Amino acid sequence: MKFQEKMKKKIIFGVILVLSISRVMATNFNIIPYPQHLIPQKGKFAFKKQTNIIYDAENPELKKLVEQFSNQIELVSSFKLKKADRESAISNNIVFKLSTDKSENTEAYQLNVSAKNITIEASTPNGIFYGLQTLYQMMPPEIYGKTKAKSTKWIVPAAEITDKPRFSYRGLHLDVCRHYFPLEFIKKYIDAMAIHKLNRFHWHLTDDQGWRIEIKKYPKLTEIGSKRAETLIGYYYERFPQEFDGKPHEGYYTQEEAREIVKYAADRFIQVIPEIEMPGHAQAALAAYPYLSCNNNPNIKVATKWGIFEDVYCPRDTTFQFLKNVLTEIMDIFPSKYIHIGGDECPKTRWQQCADCQAIIKRENLKDEHELQSYFIKRIEKFVNSKGRRIIGWDEILDGGLAPDATVMSWRGIRGGIAAAKSGHDVIMTPTSACYFDFYQSDPETEPTTIGGFTPLSKVYSFEPIPTELTEQESTHILGAQANVWTEYMATTENVEYMVFPRIAAMSEVLWCNKDNRSWDLFCRRMPTQFARYKQLNIQPSNAFYSVSFQSNLTADNKLQITLNCDYPNAKIKYSINGKERVYTTPFILNESAEITASAFEKGEKLGKSSSKSYIVSKLTGANYSLNVKNTGYNGGNVFPLTDGVKGNTKVSNQWLSIRDESDTEIIIDLKEPKEISKFSVGLLSAPGFCARLSPEIKLFGSTDGENYQLLSKKELTTPATPTWEIFRPELSFAKTEVRFLKLQLKDAGACPEVALNRSNKSMLMIDEIAAW
């Protein structure tokens, strides 16, 4: 029977059975990403001394896969599998079979396991490779070990699997510019990609903070551009003035090493896509060759902090010749179809001030500097296309007009991807909301410092790469998606692993499985086995999967309701309120201010680490209020963040209400009914980095009718001179008073004493929870 016909029949039969046996599949087949169609069978295959591997020894790619498999089996077990061109026995064979009937999808495979034999069949070695990855995951996690496993039964449950990926582009990115990582870690990273059936490694090689690839024609790119004098300490806005570690940071990959990575990845059917940033994020290159800048500034240095910098490539002919020479060497190293040319976050200030740039705008009849960037990208694309390659760029390449054959990487949400697909361009979806693995993955207060955001495992898993706004035809331009790993706050390989794993497991399933074949519940049931694999691979993941998360909401009668959750389905949650322990069953009402500590358990054993969260409950909880100013920024993600019971912290800004206005702030709170109070508090943040200052004077007034107010209390405050941010919670005490309305007045703090990191001399007022008792 032809390979395609067999696949179609298996698919039809699989669809009939898949719903009824889904929970059985999750229990017995902890495969990630999960196959499109899996039908459990009776029995199991057991490895024996007599087990043979049957394959076509004349096919070098197949031979390589067989060697990889047999060597790993021998490493972790006592079995040295025999190899043969044909079946020498009726049973206990592992057959690698290349079908002569070519499948439409070169990554498709069939894997059949019975008590007698195992057969992996595909039309290409690529398909065989993915069948082999699935076979590994049907075996004990010790298959991924580096030494012989003790007391492990090498058995495989019987099943019939028909599988292929949903998307052709399944990517993982790594920024090695903010922090350089050794070659061996890059290989480990690629190994992990292969296990998750990812096939595109986006290698971010150049940026403001370092040039990491050898270019023989321009040796200063690595002699100067790969070295920065020091690195910013802590979060970007954490201190003002900013502090630096005083330690040089350097490193780059030789062309020989880069070729080694390309081959290493190709052996695992992964394409390496290099990124050479332009026209922005170029400060390391400009430090090496100042003539590439618009003002030929010899004082430009490799950046020592994060952010966006004004100095960018100047679009002169000399710059284009430099970039063509660089890309020629890059394309000689990397055989990938795509070359990523960046295109993001390019300030236009230098171009606006540059006579040569303005002359180009006039000569080319361009509208403005945005069209000048489009002109820049199109010239580079024309050169790359002439070498038989295509460019990828971040979605800013849409600004000013998209290059004819460019593929867009949509990161600023999904709108850029939608626009590109509708105009007939290929798209790789990578929105920050689901695909940026430098965002927090658990409660920020308990996590290592990151750039911000919040992307837990569940949010990654719920990501759908194809927007509903696209037609079926337009959707064909969505090639897939990619997880991005920007390393400003990942200085070590352990940091990278912590941020990437296990979220990449969720992304792999998003990209491999059909939409209707994904189940968050079943995915979570498979994850403990995945963690066991990570342990064998010496990968150090985040264990937030086993930690308890908190969610708070206000009920209709303004009570603060707390919900506890753990991703691990078998977890039993225990929690304590101010030291009193309880077992969690359903959401509960918190009637007083408290710190809640919670942990997950299974069979009496604690899982993960304990989680704690403090809440404020007062007579203002859930109260409505109004402000006299409109220039507000962060708002906590809800309508009334000042009375939701949740305190702000110094890890993320979005729980704070931020106000930048040149007048005093006034907040009127409606308690809905008269209540007696004698104490009031408000949270304030002092953060010199973005000029968040304390109000020099706060006043509290009370009223029974909302018109006639009397002063209850006031307090003068002084913004501290310390360089770091700090939270204050001043309290106002007064005689017990019955009020229906409260008016809080906060005096404007005026101008910043120094221009802050956000380049504003106007101070900002940042307020969190207000409370009264």
Side-chain angles (χ1 to χ4, degrees):
M1 182 183 292
K2 295 289 187 181
F3 179 60
Q4 284 185 336
E5 292 175 352
K6 287 197 287 184
M7 286 190 74
K8 288 178 182 178
K9 288 197 173 186
K10 301 295 185 187
I11 289 171
I12 293 170
F13 187 45
V15 169
I16 296 171
L17 294 181
V18 70
L19 293 177
S20 62
I21 60 176
S22 61
R23 196 161 297 276
V24 174
M25 292 193 297
T27 303
N28 296 334
F29 300 91
N30 296 311
I31 302 167
I32 295 176
Y34 203 77
Q36 302 291 13
H37 303 283
L38 185 154
I39 305 171
Q41 303 294 313
K42 292 181 179 180
K44 56 192 175 185
F45 179 92
F47 281 81
K48 301 176 182 177
K49 290 182 179 180
Q50 298 82 12
T51 300
N52 300 309
I53 301 179
I54 311 299
Y55 72 105
D56 179 3
E58 293 183 2
N59 186 303
E61 287 187 279
L62 207 55
K63 184 176 181 180
K64 188 186 301 182
L65 293 175
V66 168
E67 290 295 331
Q68 289 176 1
F69 176 68
S70 61
N71 288 344
Q72 187 63 24
I73 291 290
E74 185 175 354
L75 177 64
V76 298
S77 74
S78 58
F79 301 118
K80 188 168 184 177
L81 305 182
K82 300 175 183 178
K83 307 179 189 72
D85 281 341
R86 61 183 65 85
E87 295 183 21
S88 58
I90 298 175
S91 62
N92 219 245
N93 295 313
I94 302 173
V95 182
F96 290 63
K97 184 178 181 181
L98 277 175
S99 171
T100 55
D101 182 24
K102 298 300 180 183
S103 169
E104 294 178 4
N105 191 316
T106 59
E107 297 177 306
Y109 69 91
Q110 280 187 291
L111 172 60
N112 294 324
V113 180
S114 69
K116 292 183 177 181
N117 297 306
I118 295 174
T119 301
I120 303 174
E121 183 176 358
S123 64
T124 66
N126 196 345
I128 296 289
F129 179 79
Y130 287 135
L132 191 53
Q133 302 314 306
T134 298
L135 177 59
Y136 280 139
Q137 293 201 8
M138 295 170 73
M139 298 170 72
E142 287 79 5
I143 186 64
Y144 293 104
K146 303 298 182 185
T147 59
K148 279 194 169 46
K150 298 178 180 179
S151 304
T152 299
K153 295 182 179 180
W154 296 103
I155 57 175
V156 184
E160 293 186 1
I161 294 173
T162 304
D163 200 13
K164 64 180 180 180
R166 180 186 179 193
F167 292 104
S168 62
Y169 188 108
R170 305 181 302 282
L172 180 61
H173 157 285
L174 182 63
D175 164 21
V176 296
C177 303
R178 278 52 180 252
H179 286 98
Y180 169 82
F181 302 105
L183 201 69
E184 287 308 308
F185 177 72
I186 305 300
K187 291 180 178 179
K188 183 180 181 182
Y189 203 72
I190 289 169
D191 283 336
M193 289 182 63
I195 290 165
H196 292 88
K197 296 188 176 78
L198 302 176
N199 64 357
R200 300 291 186 274
F201 173 44
H202 177 172
W203 205 2
H204 186 80
L205 290 167
T206 73
D207 215 300
D208 299 300
Q209 295 79 15
W211 183 287
R212 304 291 180 212
I213 181 69
E214 177 190 24
I215 302 297
K216 295 186 183 296
K217 191 175 183 64
Y218 300 104
K220 289 182 180 179
L221 287 173
T222 46
E223 291 172 4
I224 296 174
S226 71
K227 304 171 183 178
R228 64 173 180 263
E230 56 188 358
T231 302
L232 178 71
I233 294 174
Y235 184 63
Y236 187 89
Y237 292 105
E238 187 174 334
R239 295 173 177 86
F240 183 72
Q242 291 176 318
E243 295 180 11
F244 297 82
D245 62 10
K247 301 175 183 177
H249 185 87
E250 60 184 279
Y252 69 91
Y253 308 96
T254 66
Q255 292 195 6
E256 182 180 355
E257 288 174 328
R259 287 190 173 92
E260 185 179 339
I261 290 299
V262 167
K263 182 182 184 305
Y264 192 87
D267 286 345
R268 290 148 183 81
F269 297 92
I270 294 170
Q271 291 183 26
V272 182
I273 298 174
E275 181 179 1
I276 307 298
E277 274 273 18
M278 63 185 81
H281 287 293
Q283 194 158 308
L286 304 186
Y289 296 98
Y291 77 87
L292 299 170
S293 67
C294 285
N295 51 13
N296 297 293
N297 183 357
N299 297 317
I300 295 174
K301 305 296 182 185
V302 178
T304 57
K305 58 183 179 181
W306 326 126
I308 302 171
F309 298 88
E310 301 287 354
D311 288 299
V312 301
Y313 285 121
C314 202
R316 301 188 185 104
D317 286 344
T318 50
T319 300
F320 286 112
Q321 189 56 54
F322 164 84
L323 290 171
K324 287 178 181 179
N325 292 337
V326 167
L327 290 172
T328 295
E329 291 194 34
I330 289 295
M331 287 186 280
D332 184 57
I333 301 167
F334 298 94
S336 56
K337 172 183 176 181
Y338 290 113
I339 303 295
H340 202 302
I341 51 85
D344 63 314
E345 298 177 332
C346 179
K348 308 300 189 292
T349 305
R350 297 289 185 261
W351 291 358
Q352 291 166 349
Q353 300 166 347
C354 170
D356 290 341
C357 296
Q358 296 306 309
I360 295 171
I361 290 174
K362 184 176 181 180
R363 183 190 75 207
E364 300 295 329
N365 196 28
L366 304 175
K367 182 179 178 181
D368 53 21
E369 287 75 21
H370 291 287
E371 289 195 1
L372 180 58
Q373 175 162 335
S374 177
Y375 162 83
F376 191 114
I377 298 299
K378 287 175 181 176
R379 279 193 65 167
I380 293 297
E381 184 195 42
K382 185 176 180 181
F383 173 73
V384 172
N385 288 167
S386 73
K387 303 298 182 180
R389 312 291 186 89
R390 296 179 64 185
I391 67 166
I392 299 177
W394 303 106
D395 58 40
E396 284 93 333
I397 67 173
L398 288 161
D399 301 342
L402 187 56
D405 197 40
T407 295
V408 173
M409 197 164 266
S410 185
W411 73 279
R412 296 176 299 176
I414 62 174
R415 307 314 305 178
I418 293 171
K422 283 185 174 294
S423 63
H425 287 266
D426 288 342
V427 176
I428 297 150
M429 300 300 286
T430 181
T432 57
S433 58
C435 299
Y436 270 50
F437 286 6
D438 54 338
F439 283 15
Y440 286 107
Q441 57 191 312
S442 185
D443 184 354
E445 291 187 81
T446 66
E447 287 287 288
T449 297
T450 76
I451 201 167
F454 185 60
T455 307
L457 186 69
S458 58
K459 194 171 185 180
V460 177
Y461 196 83
S462 65
F463 174 53
E464 170 49 42
I466 297 180
T468 56
E469 292 88 341
L470 298 181
T471 65
E472 185 175 348
Q473 175 58 37
E474 292 166 345
S475 296
T476 62
H477 289 291
I478 306 297
L479 303 181
Q482 174 176 288
N484 292 332
V485 184
W486 302 103
T487 61
E488 287 94 335
Y489 300 100
M490 301 179 212
T492 68
T493 58
E494 291 81 9
N495 295 153
V496 173
E497 290 178 7
Y498 183 87
M499 298 301 288
V500 172
F501 303 93
R503 287 188 286 188
I504 197 58
M507 181 60 72
S508 74
E509 196 142 302
V510 166
L511 297 176
W512 185 276
C513 300
N514 289 338
K515 186 177 179 180
D516 58 1
N517 200 32
R518 291 184 357 227
S519 163
W520 167 246
D521 177 66
L522 298 183
F523 171 78
C524 288
R525 293 180 186 280
R526 286 181 261 125
M527 278 305 299
T529 303
Q530 191 76 347
F531 278 103
R533 295 179 188 124
Y534 291 154
K535 184 176 181 179
Q536 292 293 326
L537 291 161
N538 195 29
I539 289 172
Q540 301 178 46
S542 163
N543 283 317
F545 178 81
Y546 293 108
S547 296
V548 178
S549 61
F550 297 79
Q551 182 180 343
S552 61
N553 67 282
L554 294 167
T555 62
D557 57 350
N558 285 336
K559 300 292 185 182
L560 186 62
Q561 180 174 270
I562 307 298
T563 302
L564 304 180
N565 182 62
C566 180
D567 289 342
Y568 180 45
N570 294 343
K572 180 180 181 180
I573 298 174
K574 296 180 181 180
Y575 69 100
S576 63
I577 299 178
N578 293 335
K580 186 176 180 181
E581 189 172 284
R582 309 162 191 194
V583 175
Y584 179 77
T585 53
T586 58
F588 57 89
I589 299 298
L590 192 62
N591 292 311
E592 60 179 344
S593 298
E595 180 180 68
I596 305 173
T597 299
S599 302
F601 293 82
E602 183 180 32
K603 297 178 181 178
E605 183 177 344
K606 184 179 175 181
L607 308 171
K609 59 185 179 181
S610 298
S611 305
S612 296
K613 195 82 172 174
S614 294
Y615 294 95
I616 293 179
V617 177
S618 79
K619 292 182 179 181
L620 302 188
T621 301
N624 295 350
Y625 57 83
S626 60
L627 290 87
N628 69 327
V629 294
K630 294 183 179 179
N631 191 10
T632 60
Y634 309 115
N635 64 4
N638 59 62
V639 179
F640 298 111
L642 299 184
T643 57
D644 64 359
V646 182
K647 296 193 295 184
N649 60 72
T650 58
K651 285 294 189 74
V652 290
S653 303
N654 62 356
Q655 185 57 44
W656 295 87
L657 180 68
S658 63
I659 299 170
R660 178 172 277 130
D661 199 272
E662 295 185 358
S663 59
D664 296 345
T665 297
E666 186 175 276
I667 304 172
I668 296 178
I669 307 110
D670 183 359
L671 282 69
K672 295 297 183 184
E673 60 184 11
K675 296 180 181 179
E676 282 191 342
I677 62 171
S678 60
K679 187 171 69 172
F680 178 89
S681 71
V682 56
L684 299 171
L685 177 67
S686 171
F690 44 86
C691 202
R693 293 169 57 80
L694 303 185
S695 170
E697 183 180 61
I698 58 176
K699 293 181 179 180
L700 183 69
F701 300 83
S703 171
T704 56
D705 58 10
E707 295 182 5
N708 301 295
Y709 285 88
Q710 62 172 333
L711 179 66
L712 299 178
S713 185
K714 65 179 181 178
K715 180 171 283 193
E716 293 183 353
L717 303 173
T718 301
T719 299
T722 54
T724 58
W725 45 28
E726 190 174 353
I727 296 174
F728 293 84
R729 183 160 287 280
E731 290 188 355
L732 302 176
S733 297
F734 43 89
K736 189 174 290 185
T737 306
E738 185 177 270
V739 296
R740 159 73 191 272
F741 298 92
L742 289 173
K743 180 192 294 184
L744 176 65
Q745 289 183 349
L746 301 105
K747 190 174 182 179
D748 178 51
C752 292
E754 296 181 73
V755 176
L757 295 172
N758 60 7
R759 301 177 184 177
S760 171
N761 64 357
K762 179 69 187 74
S763 65
M764 179 162 54
L765 183 64
M766 297 194 73
I767 315 170
D768 82 335
E769 201 68 12
I770 55 176
W773 297 271

